[in-house]
Amino acid sequence: GGFPEPYNFQSGAGAIYTSGKLNSITPQYSLDSSKIINGNIETNLAYLTRLRVKNGVLSDNLQRLVNISIATDGNKAVILRFYKNPTLIGNNTQGDFPNTFLLNPDSTILVDTFSTSFTGGNQIFSLTLGKVDSQLLTFGQEQFVLNTNETLLITAFSTQTSEVSISLSIVEVV
């Protein structure tokens, strides 16, 4: 829930008449993260949260993960895991999250690609990729939506050293 329904539109001029549905236009952003992960250590790739107040204005914008492309290059399979509402630790991120940055100056999406580990959260999705593999996943409108005070963390794990790269497309519903 929480997403606007498509708008109905009708247009006509002279002998030409058009009718149909028009979806609301929302800003879309992308985030890339690439890391070399060490064997047997679950490693943070990307953390997303919402800036609740921007320029003194309370924001009710929703963020939705549209798709993710993933590439792996290593000696063993890689498991990607998605966690909702974890706490970041390492790199001084516990507490006030000094390593988060706005994904785009116009957005309310805060990201962190520097933190090293986490605690807590609920695993909501996982995917295993081959040792040298790539995938593109496209998500539905109800999957991976960040509401007020929610966070999303994407991690990678392998039993051997691997390079993992991800690219996310994120829509901000304003």
Side-chain angles (χ1 to χ4, degrees):
F3 287 95
E5 292 297 318
Y7 297 102
N8 286 318
F9 75 93
Q10 294 183 342
S11 172
I16 300 172
Y17 182 78
T18 324
S19 179
K21 292 189 179 261
L22 176 67
N23 289 316
S24 62
I25 298 172
T26 56
Q28 184 162 327
Y29 304 103
S30 63
L31 170 68
D32 301 321
S33 178
S34 186
K35 289 190 179 180
I36 298 200
I37 62 170
N38 295 318
N40 294 317
I41 298 173
E42 190 165 13
T43 303
N44 298 354
L45 297 176
Y47 172 84
L48 297 112
T49 189
R50 296 179 48 212
L51 183 64
R52 187 73 174 117
V53 177
K54 184 172 181 181
N55 300 326
V57 177
L58 189 62
S59 168
D60 285 331
N61 297 358
L62 297 175
Q63 281 83 41
R64 179 175 65 87
L65 186 58
V66 176
N67 61 46
I68 181 172
S69 61
I70 312 139
T72 59
D73 187 4
N75 295 315
K76 292 285 185 178
V78 173
I79 301 170
L80 242 62
R81 295 183 179 122
F82 291 55
Y83 293 90
K84 202 157 201 181
N85 301 322
T87 300
L88 297 180
I89 54 177
N91 243 6
N92 268 342
T93 59
Q94 189 158 0
D96 60 353
F97 308 107
N99 292 316
T100 57
F101 56 91
L102 278 173
L103 185 56
N104 180 292
D106 297 325
S107 80
T108 60
I109 303 168
L110 287 170
V111 298
D112 175 296
T113 56
F114 303 105
S115 62
T116 56
S117 56
F118 70 99
T119 185
N122 296 315
Q123 182 178 328
I124 58 173
F125 181 77
S126 65
L127 171 73
T128 301
L129 288 96
K131 59 185 179 181
V132 178
D133 200 354
S134 63
Q135 293 286 326
L136 172 64
L137 302 175
T138 301
F139 303 111
Q141 283 199 355
E142 301 301 320
Q143 293 176 300
F144 305 114
V145 175
L146 291 182
N147 294 301
T148 303
N149 300 321
E150 290 184 327
T151 61
L152 179 68
L153 175 66
I154 302 169
T155 67
F157 174 84
S158 182
T159 58
Q160 297 286 321
T161 300
S162 295
E163 182 175 356
V164 180
S165 299
I166 60 172
S167 292
L168 307 171
S169 293
I170 305 156
V171 166
E172 184 166 28
V173 180
V174 293

